[in-house]
Amino acid sequence: MLPIYHGAMSSEVALFDGRRAADDGKVMEGRDGWLFLDHDAAEFVKQLTGEILLTQDELESWRTTLERRSARLAALGIPYFFLISPEAHSVYPEKLPAHVRPAPQRPVTQLLAYLEASTCPLKPLYPLTQLLDAKREHPVYSQTDTHWNAHGAFIGYQVLADQLERSVPIRRVAKDSLGLREF
């Protein structure tokens, strides 16, 4: 979910309910009333099921782009991080319709494996494991929107902050200092 921040200094977050959005044919209903993005430009479901994969040229293009960005910023003394936000489909596969089965190889797993095996010094941050762990205590995506909710976003923030503070001093925000609520 896209957080909407109220006021310049407020720590309260309001969340969007996708059921209020216009029906544009891009939503697929899963189990227990969960909604998932489908028939969109990125074709998430085809990516998730492995029907769409990256070519060798596309993987190499990602690698060279990330290396160029990282090198350009490093020359300026700026650390570069690349965080891939897992989609709800991967975090809540048990809520997908029965006919949608995630494949072990899909574009995100291809990219992660390719970069790990390459000489690319930049390793993407992909907080899937952390989100899967966190969802046992609190939902990290809304059942009616395709973006992570405030709790999921905080997990992403923690993963990024963990990496960032290895390079530069930061002031971390504690979860208990935030007022998170859903509408």
Side-chain angles (χ1 to χ4, degrees):
M1 294 191 172
L2 294 174
I4 302 168
Y5 297 96
H6 298 283
M9 298 302 289
S10 175
S11 61
E12 190 171 291
V13 178
L15 301 175
F16 172 78
D17 183 349
R19 291 199 190 277
R20 295 183 208 151
D23 180 17
D24 59 7
K26 294 181 182 178
V27 175
M28 162 181 66
E29 188 162 353
R31 297 175 190 158
D32 303 323
W34 276 73
L35 301 179
F36 295 92
L37 191 58
D38 191 13
H39 306 296
D40 64 313
E43 299 187 88
F44 276 122
V45 172
K46 287 183 178 181
Q47 287 187 44
L48 182 73
T49 59
E51 292 175 61
I52 294 177
L53 294 173
L54 296 172
T55 66
Q56 186 67 30
D57 286 345
E58 290 168 327
L59 289 166
E60 185 60 17
S61 178
W62 270 105
R63 184 190 65 75
T64 58
T65 297
L66 292 171
E67 283 182 351
R68 271 194 318 269
R69 288 178 183 170
S70 184
R72 190 176 314 136
L73 291 168
L76 298 170
I78 302 169
Y80 178 63
F81 301 95
F82 178 58
L83 186 135
I84 302 170
S85 172
E87 69 287 334
H89 305 67
S90 295
V91 179
Y92 287 96
E94 71 279 6
K95 300 298 183 181
L96 289 166
H99 71 279
V100 178
R101 294 196 173 96
Q105 185 178 34
R106 49 193 192 268
V108 69
T109 60
Q110 281 183 286
L111 181 61
L112 294 170
Y114 186 79
L115 293 173
E116 185 65 35
S118 78
T119 59
C120 184
L122 182 73
K123 303 305 178 199
L125 305 173
Y126 185 60
L128 179 61
T129 301
Q130 294 89 334
L131 289 164
L132 291 170
D133 290 344
K135 80 176 192 180
R136 288 185 228 145
E137 294 179 28
H138 195 284
V140 293
Y141 285 75
S142 168
Q143 116 181 53
T144 60
D145 193 8
T146 59
H147 300 88
W148 51 19
N149 64 22
H151 298 280
F154 192 79
I155 299 298
Y157 158 76
Q158 288 178 311
V159 168
L160 183 56
D162 288 347
Q163 292 300 310
L164 185 58
E165 72 183 357
R166 293 179 184 163
S167 301
V168 296
I170 64 170
R171 181 181 152 267
R172 292 187 71 139
V173 175
K175 188 174 185 178
D176 61 358
S177 71
L178 300 174
L180 305 176
R181 64 183 173 122
E182 294 186 45
F183 293 86

